[in-house]
């Protein structure tokens, strides 16, 4: 497959064209959200990870499990953080 086309994501893609610079990581911003609040995409806040819905998923039921420790390399995560 050369290209995956999902026109419903256009609004999301366009949001990155803003001149506004966001200084904090989008995942770090989610750490203070309440998973029982239905106005956000956070569905679980665990000890070492949190789980969020994808606003513009390619597939139904797509979830992201995000480690709470901020790192730019998955291989830096400990075995406890991965499990």
């Amino acid at each position: 497959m050369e290209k995956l086309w999902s026109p419903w994501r256009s609004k999301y893609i366009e949001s990155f064209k803003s001149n506004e610079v966001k200084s904090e990581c989008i995942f770090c911003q989610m750490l203070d959200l309440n998973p029982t609040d239905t106005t956000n995409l956070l569905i679980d806040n665990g000890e070492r990870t949190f789980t969020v819905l994808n606003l513009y998923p390619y597939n139904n039921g797509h979830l992201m499990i995000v480690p709470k420790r901020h790192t730019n390399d998955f291989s830096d995560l400990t075995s406890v953080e991965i499990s």
Side-chain angles (χ1 to χ4, degrees), residues 7-42:
W8 59 90
R9 291 175 50 101
S10 296
K11 184 177 178 182
Y12 173 70
I13 300 300
E14 291 294 320
S15 71
F16 288 102
K17 294 183 179 180
S18 168
N19 290 332
E20 178 184 336
V21 176
K22 296 179 180 174
S23 61
E24 190 176 10
C25 167
I26 61 169
F27 298 116
C28 292
Q29 292 174 12
M30 292 181 172
L31 291 173
D32 294 328
L33 297 177
N34 182 347
T36 61
D37 182 352
T38 59
T39 63
N40 66 56
L41 299 173
L42 181 70

